[in-house]
Amino acid sequence: MLATACAAPPEEPAAVGMVERYFAENNAAARSGPAAQQEFFRRTQHPDFTDLSCDLGDTAVELDPAMSTLRPDPGYAPDGVAPRGEVWVVGVEVTTRTAGTVTGHQIGSQHLVVLDGRLRGFAPCPNG
């Protein structure tokens, strides 16, 4: 008789579901328009970095994450300041739209932080 043991699959970190919801809410806000998205970014901005958010004007930002790339990133420190909380990074495809017209498209990464049971982000600011 051959006996085999089946190991339970590893438990998915709670951050995975939070990250999926973050991107779904971001994209719903982007579809609703720049004002709705600006409110989403204001509401979800990491509290230690509220001074780093910016007004995107008439631009909306859609973010399509590659969830298979989601991983912890404890060394992340924008401007040399490590955010409080559990830091994660995920690859994203970014599409910007102004007045419904695609104005930019690129691949990048997005950092997100689980802090006090909530997912926080860092609002995008175009370089310019």
Side-chain angles (χ1 to χ4, degrees):
M1 175 181 248
L2 180 62
T4 61
C6 294
E11 191 172 313
E12 183 175 272
V16 172
M18 296 171 86
V19 168
E20 290 171 335
R21 281 189 300 281
Y22 175 91
F23 286 112
E25 290 175 18
N26 172 77
N27 292 339
R31 286 188 298 276
S32 294
Q37 189 167 49
Q38 193 70 40
E39 172 56 24
F40 170 79
F41 286 140
R42 185 203 61 72
R43 183 171 39 84
T44 60
Q45 181 76 1
H46 192 289
D48 295 347
F49 297 87
T50 56
D51 60 327
L52 297 181
S53 64
C54 63
D55 185 357
L56 296 173
D58 293 336
T59 300
V61 181
E62 294 176 23
L63 301 167
D64 183 21
M67 291 302 293
S68 64
T69 67
L70 182 67
R71 66 187 185 285
D73 189 5
Y76 179 65
D79 295 328
V81 178
R84 290 178 294 137
E86 183 182 317
V87 180
W88 293 80
V89 64
V90 65
V92 294
E93 182 177 19
V94 181
T95 302
T96 57
R97 296 181 193 279
T98 303
T101 302
V102 173
T103 55
H105 193 78
Q106 67 183 39
I107 303 295
S109 60
Q110 175 81 37
H111 282 89
L112 299 163
V113 179
V114 177
L115 177 64
D116 298 330
R118 294 181 61 199
L119 194 70
R120 301 301 193 143
F122 303 90
C125 287
N127 295 329

